[in-house]
Structure formats: C-alpha cells, structure tokens
C-alpha cells in the first residue's frame, strides 16, 4: 500500500533531517521526503500534525523467551509489543533454550518472526559452545545463516586467551563480537551496586571494578585481535572513559546502555524493590550522569531496552532470589524521549542512539529514511498521556517499575517495510 | 538515609511490624526499652504469665536454624499468654518448591496473628509484611545480612542497664560487619539513641564499602579502636569465612582482632563486653573475657525475653 504522511516533524539524524515535512511510502520503500513525484498517488493519507516521525527503532538487546520459555513470552507476543512501541528490529542474544548455536535455530527464530509479521529479529549466535567459554562455535556458519554477530550473552569467557582467539576468528570473517564486559570474580553473586544500598540493605554487591576491569581486558583484546566489537550494557561512568580512549585510538568498538541505567540509580531500590533488580545493576547518580554524557559525546552509540519479560510472581521473592531484569519494550521510546524533554540529551542524539547507530552496529540498511530505503518508521505523539497497565502493556512481561504509572509520549503508528503493523 | 521503611507503620504512624531499626524514632525505642523494663522481674515470679496476648496465635517461622532467638521469642510469647507454634521450615531458593509467600499465606489462612520470621535472605521479613492483611503482625528475627532488630533492642536494653546515658557512650563493634545483620541493626539503634561515637573494627575484607554512610568510624586495629570505649561488642566470625578468602587464618585473625584480657585493657576500665552469640571461644573472644566479670553476654540472653515480650506487646497494642 502506498502511504503519505503529512505535516509530521521528521527527525532522521543520519540524513540531517529535523523539520516538519511530508513523507511518502511506495510499496516497502521510502518514495519521497517532501513533495513526491507528480505521478505518485497514495492510497492512505495520514495527518501527523503536531506529531513526530522517526525511523523504526532498532533494539540491540531484547529477550523474547522463545524458544524455551514460552510460558513467559513468545516471539509473537514480544514482536507485537515491539511494533506497538515503534521497534521494528530486534537483536536477540543467544541464551535461548536451546542456545542459538546452529543454523537451524537461526532459521527457526527468523521464520517465527516472519510469520508473526511485526518486527524483524536479528539473532546473535553463540560465541562459545553452550556459552561455556571453552570452545569456539561454528561462527562463520552462524553468520552465513543470518546471525548479525556472536556473543556469549551474560556468560563470562573467563579464559582471556580463548576470548582473544574468538575475536581473531570472528574478525577473519568480519563478524561483530557482542560482549557484556565484566569480571566474573568481582561480579560474584552480587545483585546490587556496591554502594549505599548494598551497605544499608545487606545485599551482595557488584563493585564498579567488575565492569571497569572487564572492559579494560576486552578493549585490550580487541586491540590485539583486530576484531569489531560491541560492548553491551554499560553501567558505570568510568567505563565511558575507557570507551573514549578506545575511540581515540580508532578501535572498532561501540557500546550501548540500557534505558533503565540512564533513568534510575541504586537508591530507587529503596526497600528491596525487586522491580529495580537488574544486571548490570543500577549504579550511582554520578554514573547516570556519566552515561548520559557518554551518549551526548558519542562514546556510547546506542540505547537498548535490555528487555527481559517475566511474570510478576517471579519478582515476589526476597531480593537476591527474585528474577532479574525489566520488561522494557513498551516504554523504550517514551522513557528515552523523557531525556529530551528534560533537556539532558538532544533529540538527534536520542533518535540516533535508537535507530541509525544500532543499524550501523549490526550492519543493516535501516534506521535511515532516505529515498529508496526500507520504510520502517513510526509516528510518536510526545504529548499523549497514558498509563502502563494491564490494558496497555503489550509485552507478556509485567515486570516494569513503570507498571501502573502515568507516562507521557506514545507511539501511535508503526510502519514496517511499508505495512502498518501498529495503530493506536 | 535513603529509606525509612514505611511498611512497618500503619496509616497513623503507629508501629505495625518490627522489621528494621532504621526509620524508628528515639521515642519508639525508649518506649520499648521502658516496657521491657517492667517485664524484667517477671521471670522470677511464681506465675510467669500475663494475659496481654491471650487468644492470639504466634508462629515462629524459622527458615534458618536458631536456638536463643527462637527460644526467647517462644518463652516471651507464652508469658504473654499467646499460643505459639514453632515452624523450623526449610526452603529451596527461587523456583523449587513452595515460595516463601505461599508458605506464609498458608499459615495466615489458619488465622495467625503474628509471625516471627527468620530467613537467610535480606528483605524477606519486609516482603512477607507487605503481602499480609493489615491485622497480621510481623517481627523480623533476622533477614540475611540486613537487620536483626530485636537483637539490637536487647543489646540497647543491656547497655542501658549498665551505662544509663547513651549520649556519653563510645561503642566499638568488632569483626565481620559485612555479613552481620546484628551490626547493622545495632548501628542504627545506637545512632538513633544518640551515642557519642560508634567505631567498627576489623580487616577491610569484612567491612562494607561506604560504611561511613551508616554513621560510624572505621578503625583498623584494636588498640586505637578500643581506646576509651565504654562498650565492646564482639561479632561472631563464621567458620566458613576462615577459608583464606576473607581472612588468612584463625591465628592471624585472633592475634589482631580477638578480644583477650590484654586487648580489653585498651578500653575504659569499666567497659562492658557484649556478644550476640553463639560465641567462638578462642576465635573472636577468649574464654577468660567471655566468662569474666566485664562480660554481660548472659545478661543479653536473659534480657532477650523481656525485650521481645515488650516488642510483641507493643505491636499488639498493649
């Protein structure tokens, strides 16, 4: 269907667009921005006056629970939730059950996503067999099968020599290596940041050094292996300095941060509020500010949801035993845009971090609304007031600290490859 | 302080549960100590019962073993004429078996009026209290490394018995602060009661980072740490911490932080020695000190009954 959207405020950072204009879609591609060819006749006209138009969001870290934990969520439920939040592409870590370490698994996940018809899923293949950190997987085969990168998910690769070899091998075939860089020994069985809250509540702590030591190692290994690497889920301001240095030395390293690490700090845990239990943990106010600064400077390239859907029951336990993670798809853009509203970040840097930058990291031609590009876009009403609740939350997960709260700003329409996949 | 634990108060600001010392007022602590004082001679009477909790059911729900805490709660509740059920439950963590909340709700369905809960996880008592109906009371008998508020109250009672005015006191807490729920509760209580200084003493591996945010001073040795103190509180060192990961060896630990007659001389001549028990003789404290004239360790146990009676009566509106 050919669609024209009029009068929207289009922000398309990679093309330097930030203005009120019209955008036209023919089949699955962008036909024109501004005035179309005089022969173009749209079948559907949408008035986006007073609303924003952004490229479809690319989320670098979302767990969909399928295969393996379909009682929590499915590819259908979570890609639909993603579409309703303007997320048209999702990167899924390999720690599904079974693990993504065979081409068959890659195809199965992509087929499920295609059948659902909401958002594309770009799986990451396992870096080591069984994510055990002992043997390399057939990563070139996995890459050929459609994995946009390889990763050991949240499992550590303790053996630094093996990690170096994994990077060298991946670099042979230009396969990006995705990492969560932390030292497993310092990480220990910690559940909160080592700071005020861990001391006050007597909870096992994760020191800042767990991350800064991990990042220092991984950056050194990237430098000696020539790999292209992405460090997922940065949580400390000091890590941003390491990334800045790496960028200054022109290493191929990018990084992303989870939206909740930008918006929350350790003190939000208050009295053992398990909804704020995340790994890496919420750290200090200074870390929060440092991460925001890192986005503004470009040392951190992307904002992800780190979506981890759970039932609420799994959070009804003593803090250490409660499930980890936040179901973050539904609120990703709303919360990220709140940083624009409070003047902490520019609209361009937030939208780049959600679209063009993650597209570059996984090497896909998306996150870009130039003529001829795939028509993945969304319309965002930044004045729309809504409540995240049983009715509005589209993910099967209910574990969000924002559940039951009033929010401002919502995606009202999502187009994926020229098709309307969500309309409020 | 970040949080004041509103869950333990009702809408009128009255204490509903006893979960943490943190967030309580000095008046509340003193009221509890005063009521406990009125119960103290009670144990010597011919008939050791008053009907303050007659017809009430108290469940001692212990997911972690305990001798003195459970026993003193049981004796205290019985002296208040409550019916007491002891549950020495075990639970598997997370998904295996019944959840802690399901266990509690099952017992609540049997019309329990008060739960006394001990668990190995920080925050368990808080979790339970926030999922029970308004009329059920919860007392935290120790949650993980977080708090052990009734122990701190009986310690305050014991200190007051010996020393009267809190505002003049210097207190040293020695040992494994990191893993100690007792220390956290004591630190809050001593600060609320306005002591002059609290020092924590031990190797850095056993001291939480940011310990100063709790309002204490850190000292790395006994000589400076005990200098001029009125009260020495020794903490139990778990044998499993002695595996070379946190402390090199028993010898090295005892030589530096063990309380002996000699190290006790660093403190004031009338300083008292306390320990929440159970004690490791020869590991953190010598027998001579533990059994000596300055030790009030057994007074702590005796006082535990009166203090726990006071807290139970206070929560039941007595």
């Amino acid at each position: 269907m050919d669609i024209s959207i009029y009068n929207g405020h289009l922000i398309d950072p990679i093309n330097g667009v930030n203005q009120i204009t019209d955008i036209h879609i023919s089949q699955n591609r962008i036909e024109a921005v501004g005035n179309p060819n005089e022969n173009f006749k749209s079948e559907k006209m949408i008035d986006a006056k007073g609303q924003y138009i952004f490229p479809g969001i690319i989320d670098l870290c979302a767990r969909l629970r399928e295969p393996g934990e379909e009682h929590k969520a499915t590819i259908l439920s979570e890609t639909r939730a993603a579409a309703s939040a303007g997320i048209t592409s999702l990167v899924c870590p390999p720690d599904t059950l079974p693990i993504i370490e065979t081409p068959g698994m890659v195809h199965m996940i992509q087929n499920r996503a295609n059948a659902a018809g909401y958002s594309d899923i770009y799986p990451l293949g396992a870096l080591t067999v069984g994510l055990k950190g002992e043997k390399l997987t057939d990563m070139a085969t996995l890459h050929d099968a459609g994995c946009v990168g390889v990763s050991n998910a949240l499992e550590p690769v303790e053996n630094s020599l093996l990690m170096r070899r994994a990077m060298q091998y991946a670099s042979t075939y230009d396969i990006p290596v995705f990492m969560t860089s932390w030292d497993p020994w310092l990480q220990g069985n910690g559940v909160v940041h080592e700071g005020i809250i861990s001391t006050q509540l007597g909870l096992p702590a994760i020191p800042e050094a767990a991350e800064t030591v991990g990042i220092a190692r991984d950056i050194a290994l990237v430098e000696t292996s020539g790999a292209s690497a992405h460090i997922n889920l940065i949580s400390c301001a000091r890590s941003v300095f390491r990334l800045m240095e790496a960028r200054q030395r022109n290493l191929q390293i990018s990084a992303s941060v989870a939206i909740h690490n930008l918006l929350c700090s350790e003190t939000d845990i208050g009295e053992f509020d398990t909804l704020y239990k995340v790994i890496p943990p919420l750290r200090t106010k200074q870390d929060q500010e440092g991460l925001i600064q890192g986005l503004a400077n470009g040392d951190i390239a992307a904002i992800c949801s780190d979506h981890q859907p759970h039932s609420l029951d799994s959070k009804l336990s003593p803090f250490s035993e409660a499930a980890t993670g936040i179901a973050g798809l539904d609120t990703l853009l709303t919360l990220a845009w709140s940083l624009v509203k409070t003047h902490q970040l520019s609209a361009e840097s937030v939208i780049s971090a959600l679209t063009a930058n993650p597209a570059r990291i996984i090497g896909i031609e998306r996150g870009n609304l130039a003529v001829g590009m795939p028509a993945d876009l969304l319309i965002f009403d930044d004045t729309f007031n809504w409540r995240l609740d049983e009715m509005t939350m589209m993910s099967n997960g209910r574990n969000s600290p924002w559940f039951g709260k009033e929010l401002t700003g919502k995606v009202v329409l999502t187009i994926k490859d020229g098709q309307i996949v969500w309309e409020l | 302080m970040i949080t004041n634990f509103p869950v333990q108060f009702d809408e009128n600001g009255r204490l509903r549960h006893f979960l943490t010392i943190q967030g309580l007022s000095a008046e509340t602590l003193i009221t509890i100590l005063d009521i406990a004082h009125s119960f103290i001679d009670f144990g010597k009477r011919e008939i050791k019962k008053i009907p303050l909790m007659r017809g009430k059911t108290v469940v001692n729900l212990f997911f972690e073993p305990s001798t003195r805490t459970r026993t003193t709660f049981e004796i205290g509740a019985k002296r208040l004429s409550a019916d007491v059920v002891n549950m020495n439950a075990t639970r598997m963590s997370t998904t295996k078996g019944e959840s802690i909340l399901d266990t509690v709700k099952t017992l609540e369905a049997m019309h329990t009026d008060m739960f006394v809960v001990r668990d190995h996880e920080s925050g368990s008592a808080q979790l339970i209290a926030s999922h029970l109906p308004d009329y059920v009371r919860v007392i935290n008998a120790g949650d993980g490394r977080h708090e052990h508020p009734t122990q701190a109250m009986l310690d305050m009672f014991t200190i007051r018995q010996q020393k009267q005015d809190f505002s003049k006191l210097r207190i040293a807490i020695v040992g494994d602060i990191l893993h100690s729920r007792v220390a956290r509760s004591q630190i809050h209580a001593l600060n609320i009661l306005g002591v002059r200084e609290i020092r924590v003493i031990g190797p850095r591996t056993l001291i939480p980072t940011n310990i100063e945010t709790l309002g204490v001073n850190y000292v790395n040795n006994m000589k400076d740490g005990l200098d001029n103190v009125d009260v020495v509180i020794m903490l139990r060192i778990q044998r499993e911490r002695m595996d070379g990961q946190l402390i090199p060896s028993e010898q090295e630990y005892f030589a530096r932080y063990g309380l002996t007659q000699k190290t006790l001389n660093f403190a004031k001549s009338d300083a008292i020695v306390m320990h929440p028990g159970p004690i490791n003789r020869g590991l953190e404290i010598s027998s001579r000190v533990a059994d000596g004239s300055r030790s009030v360790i057994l007074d702590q146990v005796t006082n535990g009954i009166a203090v726990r009676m006071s807290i139970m009566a206070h929560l039941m509106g007595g």
Side-chain angles (χ1 to χ4, degrees):
Chain A
M1 185 162 59
D2 294 348
I3 303 171
S4 292
I5 305 169
Y6 295 102
N7 302 317
H9 184 156
L10 174 64
I11 299 182
D12 179 19
I14 200 161
N15 295 304
V17 180
N18 185 348
Q19 66 183 77
I20 293 170
T21 187
D22 307 329
I23 189 163
H24 309 275
I25 297 163
S26 176
Q27 304 297 327
N28 57 344
R29 303 256 159 195
I30 303 296
E31 168 73 17
V33 177
N35 293 324
N37 183 309
E38 58 191 45
N39 298 329
F40 180 77
K41 265 189 119 63
S42 56
E43 295 151 79
K44 187 173 171 75
M45 284 178 269
I46 297 165
D47 184 10
K49 192 164 189 287
Q51 297 173 327
Y52 286 95
I53 300 169
F54 304 142
I57 294 168
I58 297 154
D59 187 350
L60 287 182
C61 189
R63 285 182 173 71
L64 310 171
R65 303 302 187 203
E66 183 178 347
E69 293 181 286
E70 288 86 347
H71 60 288
K72 288 186 176 173
T74 62
I75 286 174
L76 175 63
S77 73
E78 302 314 283
T79 53
R80 190 171 54 199
S84 79
I87 301 164
T88 48
S89 304
L90 293 158
V91 176
C92 149
D95 53 354
T96 46
L97 297 169
I99 290 163
I100 306 176
E101 55 187 353
T102 56
M105 276 294 296
V106 180
H107 296 144
M108 191 277 276
I109 288 171
Q110 290 184 328
N111 289 343
R112 290 281 166 92
N114 291 341
Y118 291 104
S119 303
D120 289 334
I121 300 177
Y122 295 93
L124 294 175
L127 182 78
T128 63
V129 175
L131 303 176
K132 291 199 174 100
E134 292 162 0
K135 286 162 69 180
L136 305 183
T137 55
D138 294 350
M139 56 178 97
T141 308
L142 289 168
H143 192 227
D144 289 345
C147 288
V148 291
V150 285
S151 162
N152 223 49
L154 300 177
E155 299 302 321
V157 181
E158 280 184 51
N159 181 335
S160 300
L161 177 61
L162 185 82
M163 189 63 179
R164 181 166 188 248
R165 287 175 175 159
M167 287 182 182
Q168 286 172 324
Y169 190 82
S171 75
T172 315
Y173 308 99
D174 293 325
I175 307 170
V177 178
F178 281 62
M179 305 177 286
T180 39
S181 294
W182 52 57
D183 180 280
W185 297 98
L186 289 167
Q187 190 89 359
N189 61 353
V191 291
V192 293
H193 172 63
E194 182 178 79
I196 298 168
I197 281 290
S198 65
T199 296
Q200 225 176 74
L201 299 183
L203 288 169
I206 302 172
E208 181 190 58
E211 184 169 303
T212 51
V213 167
I215 281 193
R217 179 194 83 159
D218 288 341
I219 288 177
L221 295 178
V222 167
E223 192 155 19
T224 61
S225 67
S228 155
H230 178 72
I231 302 178
N232 223 356
L233 308 177
I234 296 292
S235 70
C236 305
R238 283 213 170 80
S239 305
V240 180
F241 292 115
R242 299 286 87 77
L243 293 167
M244 195 190 294
E245 287 167 10
R247 247 167 40 105
Q248 282 162 359
R249 291 207 300 280
N250 289 319
L251 301 183
Q252 292 186 70
I253 293 186
S254 59
S256 62
V257 58
I259 182 67
H260 42 259
N261 286 97
L262 295 172
L263 290 177
C264 308
S265 68
E266 54 168 342
T267 54
D268 287 309
I269 290 164
E271 301 169 40
F272 299 102
D273 190 339
T274 53
L275 288 174
Y276 290 94
K277 184 186 176 195
V278 287
I279 300 283
L282 301 173
R283 298 201 185 260
T284 66
K285 285 263 177 234
Q286 290 74 25
D287 287 307
Q288 231 179 301
E289 286 160 16
L291 294 169
I292 289 171
Q293 196 56 44
L295 274 164
N297 297 343
D299 295 316
I300 299 175
I303 303 172
C304 66
S305 68
D306 191 21
H307 179 66
Q308 298 187 40
H310 294 289
S311 70
L312 266 187
D313 283 350
S314 63
K315 290 282 187 181
L316 291 179
S317 297
F319 198 91
S320 287
E321 295 176 3
T324 302
I326 290 173
L329 293 177
D330 290 78
T331 49
L332 177 59
L333 179 57
T334 302
L335 297 175
W337 193 253
S338 73
L339 295 165
V340 178
K341 287 207 155 183
T342 51
H343 308 292
Q344 298 181 77
L345 283 171
S346 69
E348 287 87 350
S349 46
V350 165
I351 300 308
S352 296
L354 292 170
T355 61
N357 296 353
R360 191 188 67 235
I361 289 164
I362 57 172
I364 60 170
E365 285 208 328
R366 310 250 170 195
N368 178 340
L369 296 179
V371 172
M373 296 297 288
D376 287 5
L377 59 83
L378 65 95
I379 302 178
F380 182 67
D381 183 341
D382 81 325
T383 60
F384 190 96
N385 293 317
W386 60 295
R387 213 173 106 99
L388 184 69
D389 59 23
E390 204 55 55
M391 294 297 291
T392 59
M393 192 156 183
M394 297 288 288
S395 167
N396 270 12
R398 285 294 174 269
N399 51 312
S400 167
W402 292 276
F403 194 80
K405 292 189 181 157
E406 303 292 332
L407 299 166
T408 301
K410 195 167 191 346
V411 173
V412 294
L413 184 118
T414 305
I415 293 175
K416 166 82 198 137
D417 287 319
Q419 302 292 317
I420 296 174
V421 291
W422 161 257
E423 199 166 4
L424 189 66
Chain B
M1 289 298 149
I2 299 306
T3 162
N4 284 311
F5 290 88
V7 165
Q8 61 183 350
F9 302 98
D10 67 14
E11 55 281 1
N12 302 317
R14 248 191 70 88
L15 206 56
R16 191 202 326 255
H17 306 295
F18 201 69
L19 308 175
T20 66
I21 298 288
Q22 190 182 346
L24 298 183
S25 66
E27 295 75 61
T28 303
L29 302 196
I30 287 163
T31 305
I32 288 167
L33 297 181
D34 288 345
I35 299 172
H37 188 76
S38 70
F39 288 140
I40 200 73
D41 290 328
F42 207 75
K44 298 172 191 155
R45 285 199 213 162
E46 186 74 15
I47 295 171
K48 302 181 180 63
K49 258 193 196 311
I50 44 167
L52 281 175
M53 287 181 73
R54 190 165 60 196
K56 303 289 183 188
T57 305
V58 176
V59 172
N60 281 335
L61 185 56
F62 279 62
F63 293 104
E64 210 183 57
S66 159
T67 312
R68 68 200 67 209
T69 302
R70 209 212 63 207
T71 311
T72 51
F73 264 112
E74 181 177 355
I75 292 172
K78 283 180 170 164
R79 286 184 185 167
L80 292 170
S81 311
D83 297 310
V84 184
V85 178
N86 288 316
M87 293 269 305
N88 292 331
T90 51
R91 69 184 183 88
M92 310 289 272
S93 65
T94 56
T95 50
K96 295 167 201 157
E98 193 174 52
S99 85
I100 187 167
L101 282 182
D102 285 332
T103 306
V104 169
K105 283 179 178 167
T106 303
L107 294 165
E108 194 276 318
M110 302 170 193
H111 303 293
T112 301
D113 298 287
M114 180 182 280
F115 286 98
V116 177
V117 183
R118 167 170 290 188
D119 188 54
H120 56 270
E121 289 290 355
S122 301
S124 290
Q126 155 92 13
L127 176 80
I128 289 167
S130 49
H131 287 91
L132 284 173
D134 284 353
Y135 49 84
V136 183
R137 303 285 176 262
V138 177
I139 296 178
N140 180 6
D143 62 326
R145 309 174 185 179
H146 176 223
E147 284 221 33
H148 191 355
T150 63
Q151 174 72 40
M153 288 310 295
L154 71 89
D155 294 335
M156 297 309 111
F157 187 89
T158 309
I159 292 171
R160 194 172 76 160
Q161 251 180 351
Q162 304 287 331
K163 298 288 175 191
Q164 288 86 40
D165 188 356
F166 282 98
S167 70
K168 296 198 172 78
L169 300 181
R170 287 197 177 83
I171 318 263
I173 306 175
V174 184
D176 185 1
I177 313 286
L178 180 65
H179 300 94
S180 176
R181 53 192 174 215
V182 175
R184 279 181 182 75
S185 288
Q186 286 169 336
I187 289 168
H188 289 309
L190 291 166
N191 274 322
I192 291 165
L193 293 168
V195 297
R196 196 155 154 188
E197 189 190 357
I198 307 168
R199 296 178 197 155
V200 294
I201 306 169
R204 274 288 185 192
T205 44
L206 298 181
I207 307 291
T209 53
N210 306 85
I211 186 73
E212 63 289 345
T213 60
L214 297 184
V216 301
N217 296 320
Y218 169 69
V219 185
N220 72 354
N221 69 86
M222 292 291 261
K223 185 166 183 293
D224 299 330
L226 297 191
D227 181 44
N228 225 5
V229 304
D230 303 277
V231 179
V232 183
I233 300 174
M234 300 305 294
L235 296 176
R236 176 180 165 76
I237 288 279
Q238 307 272 0
R239 293 268 170 190
E240 61 264 28
R241 313 269 180 240
M242 288 299 198
D243 58 1
Q245 296 287 314
L246 291 163
I247 309 165
S249 67
E250 294 188 16
Q251 301 90 289
E252 175 142 324
Y253 183 81
F254 189 69
R256 273 159 187 75
Y257 301 106
L259 190 67
T260 60
Q261 209 58 49
K262 187 170 152 257
T263 46
L264 185 56
N265 285 335
F266 297 134
K268 275 190 183 166
S269 57
D270 64 345
I272 55 167
V273 175
M274 301 174 70
H275 193 302
I279 61 175
N280 289 313
R281 289 168 188 269
L283 177 46
E284 70 248 353
I285 190 166
S286 73
S287 282
R288 236 179 109 198
V289 174
D291 304 330
S293 62
R294 315 259 287 273
S295 165
V296 293
I297 295 172
L298 289 177
D299 296 325
Q300 288 174 271
V301 180
T302 309
N303 293 338
I305 298 169
V307 169
R308 287 174 173 132
M309 284 170 75
S310 167
I311 292 164
M312 287 189 275
H314 190 74
L315 294 185
M316 297 310 292

